[in-house]
Structure formats: structure tokens, C-alpha cells
């Protein structure tokens, strides 16, 4: 994103819930889904599962900022449209 658009994503807010522990050598499945795309923010949901059991889930809000001056900026239209595809 830096080379193509001159922006980076920074974590603005995280809500994380641990339900069960994972053990060493447990096979886990991690999923990520876009929940909401705004002009300069995207909220994603993440979950970690083992044998169908949710071990942890999170909601992460990311903000788009200019890599040069660290000021919030809108997503470029093409990037926002791509992100919208996953909602």
C-alpha cells in the first residue's frame, strides 16, 4: 500500500475475547472478514478456532494514514472498492 497509494494502516481500536486456550502443536484455523468499510477506516473480524471450537475472536478497527505526515486520509477509490468486495 505504501508504494501504490502512499498510505499505511494503523490500529485504531481492538476488542479481543479469549474463550479457550490453545496448546502447543494444536492445529488452528484463523479467519478474517471485513465488517465495515468507511472513507478512511475498515473494521475487520478475526477468529481463531480449533476443531470447530472458537478459541478467540476479535474486532479490529484500522485507520488509513499518509505515510509521509501520518495524517488520516481517505482510502483511494480503487482500494475502498476492493475492501467493499469483502463485506
Amino acid at each position: 500500500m505504501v508504494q501504490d497509494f502512499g498510505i499505511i494502516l494503523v490500529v485504531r481500536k481492538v476488542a479481543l475475547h479469549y474463550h479457550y486456550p490453545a496448546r502447543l502443536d494444536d492445529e488452528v484455523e484463523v479467519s478474517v472478514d471485513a465488517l465495515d468499510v468507511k472513507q478512511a477506516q475498515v473494521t475487520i473480524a478475526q477468529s481463531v478456532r480449533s476443531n470447530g471450537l472458537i478459541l478467540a475472536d476479535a474486532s479490529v478497527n484500522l485507520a488509513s494514514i499518509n505515510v509521509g505526515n501520518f495524517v488520516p486520509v481517505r482510502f483511494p477509490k480503487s482500494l475502498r472498492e476492493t475492501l467493499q468486495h469483502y463485506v
Side-chain angles (χ1 to χ4, degrees):
M1 280 192 293
V2 172
Q3 291 178 355
D4 293 337
F5 304 111
I7 63 171
I8 58 175
L9 297 179
V10 296
V11 175
R12 186 173 169 270
K13 187 187 319 183
V14 174
L16 178 61
H17 303 276
Y18 293 103
H19 302 282
Y20 298 98
R23 305 280 193 255
L24 185 62
D25 294 329
D26 279 357
E27 186 173 316
V28 298
E29 175 186 328
V30 178
S31 65
V32 179
D33 297 300
L35 296 178
D36 187 30
V37 178
K38 296 184 179 176
Q39 295 295 323
Q41 297 178 38
V42 60
T43 302
I44 60 173
Q46 298 178 313
S47 65
V48 180
R49 298 172 187 261
S50 180
N51 297 319
L53 183 67
I54 297 176
L55 304 179
D57 58 36
S59 174
V60 182
N61 180 262
L62 303 166
S64 169
I65 63 171
N66 179 286
V67 72
N69 58 12
F70 297 104
V71 173
V73 293
R74 292 179 180 210
F75 287 121
K77 183 178 179 182
S78 62
L79 180 57
R80 189 172 59 253
E81 288 172 352
T82 299
L83 291 169
Q84 285 282 0
H85 175 75
Y86 294 99
V87 174

